């Protein structure tokens, strides 16, 4: 696998998470997903384009090339296996798992990845709902339907969250989990919250406009 800096790897992973294997994602989505300035995204995307790892179409967005997809899948596999281990075996809180999984993924040989996968009995999804690519790169594609795009009156199931510490802390605070059913009540105008009913409790939640862009539903 091509050797990249950790920052470049983070960009490939977030582009992948946001759907950049199949569609264009925006600078703004990447910036908010990584909690970095928009100017930093522009600069890094230009470098990744030069290296043949992403494609950037002005006014349309950014997507991964075949080479970028291969690297991102490998990184995502390692990262999400470690997240699964840390949460399921060491009782990490979901919002606290990312940084240690990041360290571990970079220190993991292919042999260790294989044994970790076997030890965990080949999990298909990580704790925040993301699919885990198999060693042969086969997997069920993730959902790319966003909560913010759901129509008022629809009922949706939470499928996954983007792996972002601030987002996951926020979702823990409002007690929103993977596989929760949500009845969409109202999109408050002018970038207001998405009002939903949490079916399992009957509680009404006001999910922030920004968070609703990083919650995938089906």
């Amino acid at each position: 696998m091509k050797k990249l800096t950790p920052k470049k790897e983070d960009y490939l992973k977030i582009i992948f998470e946001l759907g950049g294997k199949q569609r264009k994602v925006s600078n703004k989505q990447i910036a908010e997903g990584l909690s970095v300035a928009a100017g930093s995204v522009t600069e890094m995307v230009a470098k990744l384009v030069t290296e043949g790892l992403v494609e950037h179409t002005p006014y349309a967005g950014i997507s991964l090339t075949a080479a970028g997809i291969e690297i991102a899948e490998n990184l995502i596999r390692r990262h999400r296996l470690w997240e699964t281990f840390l949460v399921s075996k060491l009782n990490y809180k979901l919002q606290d798992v990312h940084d240690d999984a990041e360290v571990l993924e970079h220190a993991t040989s292919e042999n260790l990845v294989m044994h970790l996968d076997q030890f965990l009995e080949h999990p298909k999804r990580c704790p925040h709902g993301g699919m885990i690519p198999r060693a042969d790169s086969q997997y069920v594609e993730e959902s790319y339907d966003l909560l913010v795009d759901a129509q008022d009156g629809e009922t949706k199931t939470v499928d996954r969250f983007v792996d972002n510490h601030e987002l996951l802390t926020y979702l823990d605070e409002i007690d929103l989990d993977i596989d929760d059913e949500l009845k969409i009540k109202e999109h408050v105008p002018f970038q207001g919250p998405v009002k939903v009913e949490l079916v399992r409790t009957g509680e009404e939640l006001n999910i922030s406009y920004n968070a609703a862009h990083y919650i995938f539903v089906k």
Side-chain angles (χ1 to χ4, degrees):
M1 186 173 70
K2 184 176 182 178
K3 184 65 176 175
L4 299 173
T5 65
K7 272 191 177 180
K8 289 180 180 177
E9 292 179 344
D10 286 343
Y11 273 81
L12 293 181
K13 285 189 292 186
I14 194 66
I15 294 168
F16 185 94
E17 278 199 85
L18 292 169
K21 178 181 176 181
Q22 295 185 336
R23 63 180 187 174
K24 300 287 186 182
V25 300
S26 70
N27 279 41
K28 182 179 179 182
Q29 286 179 291
I30 296 169
E32 293 184 355
L34 291 175
S35 301
V36 298
S40 298
V41 175
T42 301
E43 184 179 338
M44 180 59 78
V45 166
K47 292 177 181 178
L48 295 173
V49 168
T50 300
E51 295 183 32
L53 300 176
V54 305
E55 295 178 347
H56 181 209
T57 305
Y59 309 108
I62 298 138
S63 60
L64 296 169
T65 64
I69 291 169
E70 182 180 0
I71 294 171
E73 286 177 344
N74 189 293
L75 293 168
I76 290 282
R77 171 174 165 78
R78 293 162 181 259
H79 189 87
R80 290 180 176 176
L81 282 172
W82 278 119
E83 285 188 328
T84 303
F85 175 81
L86 293 172
V87 170
S88 65
K89 304 302 180 183
L90 299 186
N91 299 317
Y92 271 59
K93 292 195 74 174
L94 180 56
Q95 63 266 35
D96 297 330
V97 77
H98 175 84
D99 287 348
D100 285 345
E102 187 88 2
V103 172
L104 289 164
E105 86 180 54
H106 294 297
T108 303
S109 67
E110 290 296 334
N111 189 41
L112 178 53
V113 171
M114 180 184 71
H115 282 84
L116 180 63
D117 189 29
Q118 291 174 346
F119 175 73
L120 294 170
E121 299 180 338
H122 311 292
K124 291 182 171 60
R125 301 175 87 193
C126 74
H128 56 83
M131 61 76 215
I132 300 175
R134 297 188 337 205
D136 60 5
S137 296
Q138 298 300 308
Y139 52 87
V140 176
E141 289 290 343
E142 294 182 317
S143 164
Y144 299 120
D145 294 331
L146 297 170
L147 175 60
V148 75
D149 295 327
Q151 300 298 306
D152 293 352
E154 289 185 323
T155 298
K156 294 288 187 178
T157 301
V158 177
D159 190 43
R160 65 183 178 97
F161 310 128
V162 167
D163 189 6
N164 173 281
H165 176 77
E166 290 182 10
L167 173 68
L168 296 174
T169 299
Y170 169 75
L171 297 176
D172 182 60
E173 290 172 354
I174 65 173
D175 192 29
L176 187 66
D177 297 321
I178 301 297
D179 295 329
D180 275 344
E181 277 192 297
L182 304 175
K183 290 183 179 178
I184 315 302
K185 296 295 188 179
E186 180 187 4
H187 290 67
V188 177
F190 299 106
Q191 299 188 1
V194 180
K195 292 187 174 185
V196 303
E197 178 188 324
L198 185 58
V199 172
R200 63 180 163 85
T201 64
E203 179 185 5
E204 184 173 286
L205 300 177
N206 293 320
I207 299 176
S208 76
Y209 179 79
N210 282 346
H213 283 80
Y214 298 92
I215 299 170
F216 294 86
V217 295
K218 59 183 179 181

